[in-house]
Amino acid sequence: PCHGLPDEATRSLRVERLRLVDEQPAALMRAFIPQRLVRGISRRDFASTGREQSILYILERRFGLVINEGEETTAPVCLTQPDAGLLGLQEGSPVIYKACVIHNRQGEPVLFEQAYWCTPQTELVRRVGARG
């Protein structure tokens, strides 16, 4: 075998998705998954709405991977091209960058994902009048 080339155990599949909210770009997501774990994955596996669009949902339900734990890093960054263009923004626009690694029960990484979020990820807050 040639040295320096990835073998079957180390090849990754890249899944790139543009997430929309109300038909507008909300996030650009790039996931890297060991190819041996997701044989046959395709666009048809991803729904356009609901929890079925989650890569974790697909890994668990379609491919039987048991997710155990993960780490996430979040930081503000400014977009560069071509990512800015994919999100419909100007180069240099501020966004939230998230990177996470997810492990299975054996401690093996099964997913590394990078995401650029250009819309807030907030929960609905209901304000109640002051008591007094």
Side-chain angles (χ1 to χ4, degrees):
C2 296
H3 295 286
L5 294 177
D7 63 16
E8 185 66 20
T10 61
R11 285 194 181 128
S12 296
L13 178 72
R14 181 171 109 176
V15 177
E16 187 167 294
R17 301 175 295 147
L18 181 63
R19 300 279 300 267
L20 303 176
V21 172
D22 296 330
E23 304 297 320
Q24 298 298 314
L28 176 61
M29 308 179 94
R30 290 186 183 101
F32 300 87
I33 309 161
Q35 191 172 6
R36 64 185 166 73
L37 300 177
V38 289
R39 298 230 183 270
I41 195 169
S42 73
R43 289 177 187 233
R44 293 185 306 273
D45 292 312
F46 295 89
S48 58
T49 61
R51 68 181 175 182
E52 292 86 9
Q53 66 183 326
S54 162
I55 195 137
L56 293 178
Y57 181 90
I58 292 162
L59 290 177
E60 290 180 324
R61 297 295 169 101
R62 166 115 159 62
F63 295 97
L65 295 175
V66 178
I67 304 301
N68 189 48
E69 64 182 7
E71 296 176 9
E72 183 175 87
T73 302
T74 304
V77 298
C78 293
L79 285 172
T80 59
Q81 290 296 348
D83 295 338
L86 293 171
L87 287 165
L89 299 171
Q90 298 292 318
E91 185 171 7
S93 294
V95 295
I96 296 297
Y97 171 78
K98 290 186 176 186
C100 72
V101 62
I102 305 291
H103 301 272
N104 63 15
R105 285 189 180 156
Q106 293 75 35
E108 300 170 305
V110 296
L111 170 72
F112 173 71
E113 186 172 62
Q114 300 172 306
Y116 296 98
W117 284 89
C118 60
T119 60
Q121 290 183 280
T122 58
E123 298 291 325
L124 178 62
V125 175
R126 184 173 158 210
R127 296 186 185 253
V128 180
R131 294 180 186 215

